[in-house]
Amino acid sequence: MRMPISDDNKPIAIAVVFILVILLIGTTYTLSTTGTMPLLSPNYLLQQLQIGSFLGICAAGIMMVILLGHIDLSIPWTLTAAAMTATAMGGDLAVPTALAVGVAVGVVNGIGVAYLRIPSMIFTLGVDTVLRGLMVAQTGGFAPQDTATPLMVFLAKQRLLGIPAAIFVWAAVSLAIIVILTRTGFGRAIYATGSREAAAYLSGIRTRWVIVGAFVVSGVCAAIAGILLAGYSAKAYQGMGNVYLLPAIAAVVLGGTHILGGRGRYAGTLIGVILIVLLNSVLSIMQMPEAGRQIIYGGVIIAMLLVYGRNQRVLS
């Protein structure tokens, strides 16, 4: 007897199929050209997950905001500002300072969206621009000469029990997000507010505080990613977070989180991140030119969205 797949699981199932197709294509290519299968090597997969942890942590935070029907476009320079501030501070205060930057940005974003009622796309983009200006002013427009602290390098590059420490950090963030969304009143309030904010407010939920809290989580996740990325690169640099915004949003949406809020599972976001990481890996192995890489990368995302969108219309 064929077991039906629930509506929430269908995007995840579609993403898993795309992952298997990508693995098949990459393995076939490497086997035919080099006679080896690096994509199936445990060390190679761990390395890809280590690199993917930066994207995964960003996606975990931005998912909280998307569940509310909002968007956080300040991720790139929140990540960069946290990393640059941490390396500039140095010592034992580096990591707490970076996290404080993430909290501060999240609070500002939350107040602007929840209390001032400015559209999140506009307000967070403005905050991102302000952060960029502040960092340029801090460095005078030059590359900072500060280096990452030993703790930042350890969290990003060292291994524990043969597994990169960055994967443990990603796992800890993932566990925290899962607990928040499934085991706390705050998580239930996020889904209720994202489904219909007015109804949630009338039912007694403090929707403004929920919005602020979600943006704080997004800011903290971006700061954690900045700490790891600075540790991995041994320093912070301007624009280091620019490449993570669109892939993070894509991972969340490809994982089945509704862009208008109210519906989505973190497992889908996790699968979406893995899909994007493996796609980039296969394109790199195939030595695809940058132009072709962008075309294929965008084409796969559009294809998945079309399949998922058609599936949603059939169900409705």
Side-chain angles (χ1 to χ4, degrees):
M1 181 177 178
R2 183 179 178 183
M3 297 296 294
I5 301 176
S6 67
D7 295 349
D8 289 340
N9 289 332
K10 284 180 179 177
I12 299 177
I14 294 171
V16 170
V17 170
F18 270 82
I19 288 175
L20 295 176
V21 170
I22 291 170
L23 283 174
L24 178 62
I25 293 174
T27 301
T28 302
Y29 175 84
T30 55
L31 189 60
S32 62
T33 56
T34 66
T36 60
M37 296 185 293
L39 281 175
L40 302 181
S41 167
N43 286 333
Y44 183 82
L45 291 175
L46 285 175
Q47 182 185 22
Q48 294 305 306
L49 288 176
Q50 179 183 17
I51 297 173
S53 63
F54 314 138
L55 172 61
I57 293 172
C58 288
I62 204 169
M63 178 188 175
M64 302 286 283
V65 176
I66 293 178
L67 281 173
L68 291 171
H70 294 293
I71 197 72
D72 187 357
L73 299 183
S74 66
I75 292 295
W77 280 90
T78 302
L79 185 157
T80 304
M84 294 178 69
T85 305
T87 55
M89 177 64 65
D92 296 335
L93 293 178
V95 171
T97 300
L99 296 177
V101 170
V103 171
V105 174
V107 169
V108 171
N109 283 333
I111 290 175
V113 174
Y115 288 90
L116 302 181
R117 291 298 172 181
I118 301 174
S120 58
M121 181 177 294
I122 303 300
F123 191 84
T124 58
L125 184 61
V127 170
D128 188 71
T129 304
V130 170
L131 289 172
R132 175 169 35 181
L134 289 174
M135 291 302 100
V136 171
Q138 175 182 319
T139 61
F142 299 98
Q145 300 301 310
D146 307 301
T147 58
T149 65
L151 176 59
M152 295 166 68
V153 174
F154 173 81
L155 292 175
K157 300 179 72 172
Q158 299 302 315
R159 294 198 171 208
L160 297 173
L161 303 176
I163 300 174
I167 297 179
F168 285 106
V169 177
W170 184 14
V173 171
S174 299
L175 180 61
I177 296 295
I178 291 171
V179 170
I180 289 173
L181 291 178
T182 61
R183 302 292 182 181
T184 67
F186 176 57
R188 291 187 289 272
I190 286 179
Y191 282 105
T193 303
S195 296
R196 192 169 183 182
E197 184 177 347
Y201 176 78
L202 292 176
S203 68
I205 295 175
R206 302 176 69 179
T207 55
R208 291 179 174 177
W209 281 102
V210 172
I211 294 173
V212 172
F215 274 102
V216 168
V217 173
S218 180
V220 169
C221 285
I224 294 173
I227 292 169
L228 294 180
L229 188 57
Y232 189 79
S233 305
K235 63 179 181 179
Y237 52 91
Q238 295 185 26
M240 61 193 296
N242 291 344
V243 299
Y244 291 99
L245 177 61
L246 291 181
I249 296 174
V252 174
V253 175
L254 292 178
T257 299
H258 200 284
I259 195 67
L260 298 179
R263 188 170 70 247
R265 296 174 56 189
Y266 181 73
T269 297
L270 192 63
I271 295 297
V273 170
I274 294 174
L275 187 154
I276 290 176
V277 169
L278 288 178
L279 177 60
N280 284 330
S281 174
V282 169
L283 293 178
S284 298
I285 290 175
M286 297 175 69
Q287 298 181 346
M288 183 70 63
E290 183 62 26
R293 187 179 305 184
Q294 292 299 323
I295 292 172
I296 295 175
Y297 178 71
V300 170
I301 292 176
I302 292 173
M304 274 205 63
L305 291 176
L306 287 175
V307 172
Y308 175 52
R310 181 179 179 183
N311 184 64
Q312 288 294 97
R313 288 194 296 272
V314 170
L315 291 172
S316 59

